[in-house]
Amino acid sequence: MTTPSPGPRVTPPDASEIGPALDRAAHHAARFLESLASRPVGARASVADLRAALGGPLNEEPVSAPDTIDALSRGVDAGLVASAGPRYFGFVTGGSLPAALAADWLVSAWDQNAAMFVGSPAAAVLEEVAAAWVLAVTGLPAHASVGFVTGAQMANFTALAAARHAVLAREGWSVEDRGLSGAPPLRIFAGAEAHVTIGSALAMLGLGRATLTPIGADDEGRLRADVLARELRRGTGPAIVCAQAGNVNTGAFDPFDAIADVTTAHEAWLHVDGAFGLWAAASPHSRHLTAGMARADSWATDAHKWLNVPYDSGLAIVADPDAHRGAMGMSASYLVGQPDARDGFLWTPEASRRARGVAVYAALRSLGTSGLARLVERGCAHARRFANRLRASGHFDVLNDVVLNQVLVRPTGRPGDDDAATDARVARILADVQREGTCWLGGSRWHGRAVIRVSLSSWMTTDDDVDRSAAALVAAATRHAEPM
Ligand SMILES: *Cc1c(COP(=O)(O)O)cnc(C)c1O
């Protein structure tokens, strides 16, 4: 008789690991979050460092969940960017409000499928409530429908799908059934300064980037309603117009009332990309910028930018729920519709999905309307402060009208320097500041010239953070002020 040799010892995932693994995650998360105020803002590790720390072939034997979390946390640290912290001013990037972050952890622990009411009555009602709150605080129609998507890119996609549905339905064409070949041609207009994701939404919708007619913008990047009126008069047929609340460079708002007068007269669908600017409506100090915005047919916004909800979170909002559902809804015998409650899948491209609206709910609940207004006002005040500090240094010109949370600066030209020389100096100053680590800022181009863009979107930022960061930028400019 032979003794069977023992097979490989397999440690299956074990429910007893859950508590320790979550404890380890909470420990590492707290340490990371505590470090945000002091750690260098940019990542320190190179791509090779990170591959060496995290890569290699997949182990054959299981690793316990707590050990997996410990090793993960150790391996990533030098490659993390403190973008959730108080001195990250790149792109338009919010941090995570404490309640939103903690709620997001719960969403993962609950692991609900937010596609259908029956999948999670709790998630469905939380999202229903969060949707109503968002509409109320931004002054949008209470009857509008809201889809919880991953970001403004997908919000633009979803809202423009509703637009495509509605304007073609008016022509007797069901685009969802018949597709676009043979469909009446659509005319699509957007400001020359529209965000790049409008073009990619059109590409994904089969409408094509090149069908977009750019409408001239003014100095601050605002779509000109008179030019739009002229362009719409040049032809006939169904039309979609994309306007913007919050230019990604200047923070400027398109003139919605004038634009809505034009789109109403031409029966065109009006969409507003308000990835961060939509939230300006939540404060009495900036609400005037959004005047007329509620007259649009659809809106896109992010919760992971100025609302400071963790990634990823965006909202697609449509004034006519039938158009929204017509574009996104689906039916199958096993999809149990809930007539008197919210089925999430009707409003998003996704079917199964995490209960993304719960963190939005927690963010709004924890802020209240007054806290939300203050969050917006602080971002605007910090932007003005940053601009004033840089202007007063004599090293920078502020290029935009600082109406919101965005500041565009360029080093003051030196005698004899042409634009190309100053562009090169922008690149050197940015690289220097990013390496130095007090803060992180990115570059952009404005009116054909290289600029430094400062976006004040984090709830964590204080006046002191603004002053230290402006000083770091001035110090870098001083280092690069001498003729090469
Ligand atoms: C950030 C941004 C987007 C894209 O949003 P994502 O969250 O990256 O999907 C679209 N429009 C504007 C104006 C933005 O600022």
Side-chain angles (χ1 to χ4, degrees), residues 91-92 150-156 193-198 244-249 273-277 300-305 311-314 406 453:
F91 309 97
V92 182
T150 48
Q153 165 73 90
M154 287 315 288
N156 281 326
E193 287 291 333
H195 194 266
V196 62
T197 54
I198 294 289
Q244 186 164 251
N247 176 288
V248 78
N249 284 311
D273 176 359
F276 55 97
T301 194
D302 267 319
H304 58 219
K305 287 179 178 167
Y311 291 107
D312 41 27
S313 188
Q406 304 289 112
R453 178 171 60 178

Side-chain angles (χ1 to χ4, degrees), residues 110-129:
W110 295 336
D111 195 23
Q112 305 285 285
N113 187 343
M116 284 176 291
F117 178 82
V118 292
S120 180
V125 171
L126 284 169
E127 292 195 339
E128 171 188 300
V129 173

